[in-house]
Amino acid sequence: MSRTTVPALHGPSRRGFVTATGVGLLGLLAACGSGGSDDAEAEATGPLSGTVTMWSSFTQGPRAEWMQKMADAFHAENPEVTVNIELFSWGEFNTKWTTGLTAGQVPDISTALPNNVVEMINAEALIPLDDVIDSIGRDRFPEAALREGRLEDVSYSVPIYSHAQVMWYRKDLLEAHGLGVPQTWEELAHAAKTIGRSNDLYGLSVPLGTGDMMGARYLNFYVRSAGERLLKADGSANLTSAAALEGITYWVDLYKEVSPEGSLEYAVLDQATLFYQGKTAFDFNSGFHISGVEANSPDLLGSIAAAPLPRLKASDPVNYPAETSTIPMVVWQASEVRREAKAFLEFLYSTDEYIEFLRAVPGGMLPVLSDVAEDPAFLDNETISTFADSIKVIQDQVGVGSAIGMEEGPVVQAGVLTSQGLIEKMFHSVIIDGTDIEAAAKDCDDKLNAAFKAAGAQIG
């Protein structure tokens, strides 16, 4: 089959979805709730056969080429199976899977983002993958990465790579201004203001576009450094705490002092491009910054490095739980070739081939398999060797972080925090309309809580 069909949904399916307090699902689709696949899959024997449709957001040349190579290799080993790969950007994918579910057309297997997985589980769209994880080796995966796709001890996704948000900086600019690498938020503000703002160089940029999640990301950094989350223990929004209000004030101040005016509408690529082009002294991103600078300003490659995220006090722990992005793979509930889809998924983790995948963006995609992270075949790479210290910083953050809002596992609120632009609109209200910060934060709290409930979350 070229595409799986499912009954059309006329609205979101919400069956007592897990809340931030850890209350589990009251009911899942029977097959999912059992922790296994349907009887037909369990009883199937003999050669694998059929057509597996995969939706992949690994659209860049080397990653797309690798995935096609793996599809061809899997076909060579299983001649009766064909894997058809359809490419969509992450933005397209978000629209594609939601409309596809409504229209009754979804793939057999796909890439996803952690918050997608929350919504997919909530829509009862995925099958458990514990058997795949166990076959690959459960103890090879970081527990935090597995937790993001797990509900009631059932795993619905398999991580394929990780990266984490850290602070990138220009060594040459710090040296020219007699500055050390900032360890605290106060030191970062001082350094950014010392470097200042001109037409071609900014101390840093504060991205607040309502079409992306960057405002939530930056606020999350500050709040997490204070030992808090953007969610309270009862699952409600946490934007009016002292730490959150300090964080909002911090980023508004730096926006006004050193950030380009256009950053009020920046999405992640707009933000990253400034650093790629050498126009910002500091930025927050993952190891993908290495390839970005190499492609845009190769002469600056020797001048960039990564450091841990700033903290409130220099005496605070260097690595605190902030934002880690672990990209998962999923198999769809409606698939008629589940056995084949899961076999192909496991095939992607063959050690030599998996290392080849990671090297498609060296330093940007970090292994989720602990033994691969130490494998000489993975480490023997010029970029990984050159940026070993920076990659170590990222790996350390991967070990303690999670997706925003997913610190305790998958919750509906996580998707709302990062997909509806409410935090970004709050920043706009303060900066453009002059709204008092406490009033704007309270209004955003109320709007987030309403959106949480509308999405099916139980609060309190």
Side-chain angles (χ1 to χ4, degrees):
M1 67 177 187
S2 62
R3 185 174 283 111
T4 303
T5 60
V6 299
L9 299 179
H10 300 290
S13 175
R14 313 284 183 186
R15 295 191 182 181
F17 188 73
V18 69
T19 72
T21 59
V23 179
L25 289 171
L26 297 179
L28 270 178
L29 196 62
C32 296
S34 68
S37 302
D38 60 15
D39 293 340
E41 179 193 345
E43 295 174 2
T45 58
L48 301 174
S49 63
T51 298
V52 175
T53 295
M54 176 180 180
W55 287 358
S56 173
S57 290
F58 299 150
T59 58
Q60 299 97 327
R63 299 202 299 181
E65 291 165 6
W66 177 84
M67 190 61 77
Q68 184 59 57
K69 175 182 174 181
M70 295 300 287
D72 294 341
F74 188 75
H75 174 69
E77 291 191 12
N78 303 276
E80 295 183 39
V81 179
T82 299
V83 180
N84 288 334
I85 299 173
E86 301 178 12
L87 299 176
F88 304 98
S89 69
W90 286 117
E92 291 177 306
F93 176 78
N94 288 337
T95 301
K96 187 75 175 176
W97 85 260
T98 52
T99 58
L101 197 61
T102 302
Q105 292 189 324
V106 294
D108 300 296
I109 183 174
S110 74
T111 55
L113 294 173
N115 288 334
N116 294 150
V117 175
V118 176
E119 296 167 340
M120 291 167 178
I121 294 173
N122 198 29
E124 302 174 348
L126 304 179
I127 67 168
L129 294 173
D130 287 289
D131 53 344
V132 176
I133 292 170
D134 289 335
S135 183
I136 296 170
R138 184 173 296 272
D139 60 353
R140 301 171 74 193
F141 291 95
E143 168 58 24
L146 294 178
R147 186 170 61 241
E148 290 185 0
R150 186 170 63 217
L151 283 175
E152 296 191 331
D153 295 326
V154 178
S155 296
Y156 296 91
S157 65
V158 183
I160 191 165
Y161 74 85
S162 289
H163 56 90
Q165 297 292 310
V166 295
M167 183 180 72
W168 287 89
Y169 64 94
R170 286 274 301 278
K171 296 182 287 186
D172 55 331
L173 292 176
L174 296 192
E175 183 178 353
H177 288 84
L179 297 166
V181 179
Q183 298 183 54
T184 67
W185 293 113
E186 183 178 1
E187 290 174 359
L188 174 61
H190 170 72
K193 291 177 181 179
T194 297
I195 294 169
R197 173 168 59 190
S198 64
N199 290 332
D200 57 0
L201 181 63
Y202 304 91
L204 60 74
S205 172
V206 182
L208 299 171
T210 56
D212 211 329
M213 56 176 280
M214 301 298 283
R217 168 174 287 168
Y218 277 45
L219 181 58
N220 185 64
F221 292 153
Y222 195 99
V223 169
R224 293 300 284 150
S225 74
E228 295 187 20
R229 306 165 55 209
L230 293 180
L231 296 173
K232 296 177 183 176
D234 67 356
S236 61
N238 183 36
L239 269 68
T240 56
S241 71
L245 293 173
E246 288 173 8
I248 296 167
T249 301
Y250 181 88
W251 291 118
V252 168
D253 175 63
L254 283 180
Y255 170 81
K256 292 179 177 178
E257 291 284 333
V258 299
S259 185
E261 291 184 10
S263 65
L264 197 64
E265 297 299 337
Y266 278 0
V268 61
L269 183 58
D270 303 306
Q271 172 76 2
T273 298
L274 281 184
F275 193 77
Y276 297 165
Q277 296 176 343
K279 294 182 179 179
T280 45
F282 296 97
D283 195 22
F284 296 95
N285 212 299
S286 69
F288 280 84
H289 260 22
I290 299 170
S291 59
V293 172
E294 183 177 27
N296 289 268
S297 306
D299 55 317
L300 294 178
L301 203 57
S303 298
I304 66 168
L309 296 170
R311 44 204 190 272
L312 289 179
K313 297 180 295 184
S315 59
D316 290 342
V318 173
N319 291 302
Y320 55 86
E323 186 185 350
T324 294
S325 296
T326 301
I327 306 304
M329 304 284 293
V330 298
V331 174
W332 290 75
Q333 172 72 29
S335 175
E336 296 176 4
V337 286
R338 294 185 194 178
R339 195 165 66 106
E340 289 73 15
K342 292 201 294 185
F344 178 62
L345 174 56
E346 184 175 341
F347 187 71
L348 300 179
Y349 292 83
S350 306
T351 299
D352 290 345
E353 289 75 14
Y354 182 57
I355 290 173
E356 182 183 348
F357 170 66
L358 298 171
R359 284 188 171 186
V361 189
M365 298 191 300
L366 299 183
V368 291
L369 301 179
S370 57
D371 53 306
V372 171
E374 304 298 328
D375 194 316
F378 168 69
L379 297 172
D380 185 18
N381 173 272
E382 182 177 357
T383 298
I384 292 173
S385 176
T386 300
F387 286 92
D389 290 343
S390 294
I391 292 172
K392 176 65 164 55
V393 170
I394 301 168
Q395 287 176 322
D396 288 344
Q397 183 58 47
V398 166
V400 299
S402 70
I404 295 173
M406 303 267 279
E407 297 85 3
E408 304 298 328
V411 292
V412 172
Q413 293 92 318
V416 176
L417 283 170
T418 57
S419 68
Q420 296 197 15
L422 293 174
I423 292 176
E424 290 73 20
K425 290 174 183 175
M426 174 196 66
F427 277 108
H428 283 213
S429 177
V430 172
I431 293 168
I432 298 174
D433 302 329
T435 305
D436 174 76
I437 285 177
E438 290 192 22
K442 176 60 168 62
D443 179 64
C444 190
D445 249 4
D446 293 342
K447 289 176 178 175
L448 282 169
N449 288 332
F452 294 162
K453 292 177 181 178
Q458 298 177 20
I459 296 175

